Amino acid sequence: WLVTLPAALWPTMGWATAPAVAIITFILIGIDELGVQIEESFSILPLASLCLVVQKDGEAALATRTQSGQHPSELLYAPTA
């Protein structure tokens, strides 16, 4: 569509076609890029580093013992009284 836009605008706009096409192209490609970013937002988030932090925190929590001497994983699967 943007390739044929100058040919369509030339008869009415003349030499003002170039700046008009540049502005319209900038706006339309910007809207398209915004849509891509909304659809694929995970590509711009630092998920790898966030996952490493969660993994390290989880390992640290499992490595420590509670005040009762039980391992935290034992508390998760402890039978209820």
Side-chain angles (χ1 to χ4, degrees):
W1 187 82
L2 292 173
V3 173
T4 59
L5 184 61
L9 293 180
W10 180 261
T12 56
M13 296 189 71
W15 289 104
T17 299
V21 169
I23 292 169
I24 292 170
T25 301
F26 181 76
I27 291 170
L28 290 178
I29 291 179
I31 291 171
D32 182 51
E33 183 62 26
L34 181 63
V36 169
Q37 291 298 322
I38 290 171
E39 287 177 359
E40 300 177 15
S41 59
F42 295 110
S43 65
I44 60 173
L45 294 175
L47 291 182
S49 61
L50 290 174
C51 289
L52 287 175
V53 169
V54 170
Q55 180 182 4
K56 288 179 184 178
D57 290 345
E59 289 171 354
L62 290 175
T64 59
R65 299 220 175 246
T66 62
Q67 291 179 357
S68 65
Q70 289 181 312
H71 197 270
S73 62
E74 295 169 357
L75 297 174
L76 291 175
Y77 303 109
T80 57

